[in-house]
Amino acid sequence: MSTLFTAVTEEGKIPNTYMTGEVSYKKQTSEIHPENTVIKDVSFEPGARSNWHSNTSLQLIIVTNGVGYYQERGGQINLIEKGKVITVLPGVEHWYGATPEAKYSHISISTEVDKGHGVWLESVTDEEYYSFERD
């Protein structure tokens, strides 16, 4: 059996319709990935973050670089660093992004994309974003 490697199939900047600040991505694929799985390498500049949103299927977030934030609606903001893996269940409203001081990157693996697209909601306000409490 020969080794199969992933290939970047699409890359670019994510529009500010869905994000605040500068966010770029590389969509990847491989011959062994199921057709209904999407893998993206997403990079956030300091202060950049996603809007609130929910997914129709399971999403895994694997932090690959830097320091970021992750928050579910109604919960506290969590500080996330390289090596952290987050499992986001379908229908859970959440956001993620870089801290004000550091770049942040993660690999996003969305499964069962044939179930439909997620729902993009309002931007994370500066008040929400800067409410992280450090110990």
Side-chain angles (χ1 to χ4, degrees):
M1 179 174 163
S2 63
T3 302
L4 302 174
F5 296 92
T6 62
V8 174
T9 59
E10 181 181 310
E11 61 184 303
K13 302 283 184 192
I14 300 177
N16 282 89
T17 307
Y18 308 110
M19 305 283 166
T20 298
E22 189 173 322
V23 182
S24 58
Y25 75 98
K26 292 180 182 177
K27 187 175 177 181
Q28 300 179 354
T29 190
S30 168
E31 294 176 15
I32 62 171
H33 294 151
E35 288 184 18
N36 65 347
T37 299
V38 173
I39 301 170
K40 289 184 181 174
D41 183 353
V42 187
S43 298
F44 297 78
E45 291 298 315
R49 58 207 183 255
S50 72
N51 287 5
W52 286 100
H53 63 283
S54 65
N55 305 313
T56 56
S57 59
L58 183 73
Q59 180 185 34
L60 295 173
I61 297 170
I62 304 164
V63 181
T64 56
N65 196 23
V67 180
Y69 292 148
Y70 172 82
Q71 182 181 23
E72 293 180 355
R73 183 83 73 179
Q76 67 181 21
I77 297 175
N78 297 283
L79 193 64
I80 53 178
E81 298 176 305
K82 184 176 180 176
K84 182 81 168 179
V85 177
I86 303 161
T87 302
V88 185
L89 298 176
V92 174
E93 292 183 6
H94 65 286
W95 69 271
Y96 39 71
T99 64
E101 307 86 26
K103 292 182 180 185
Y104 162 76
S105 298
H106 69 236
I107 300 287
S108 169
I109 303 172
S110 297
T111 62
E112 300 178 307
V113 296
D114 57 340
K115 289 184 174 181
H117 297 286
V119 177
W120 286 98
L121 304 165
E122 73 276 8
S123 297
V124 174
T125 65
D126 285 347
E127 183 179 344
E128 290 172 313
Y129 179 74
Y130 289 104
S131 68
F132 178 74
E133 296 182 21
R134 298 192 185 274
D135 292 337

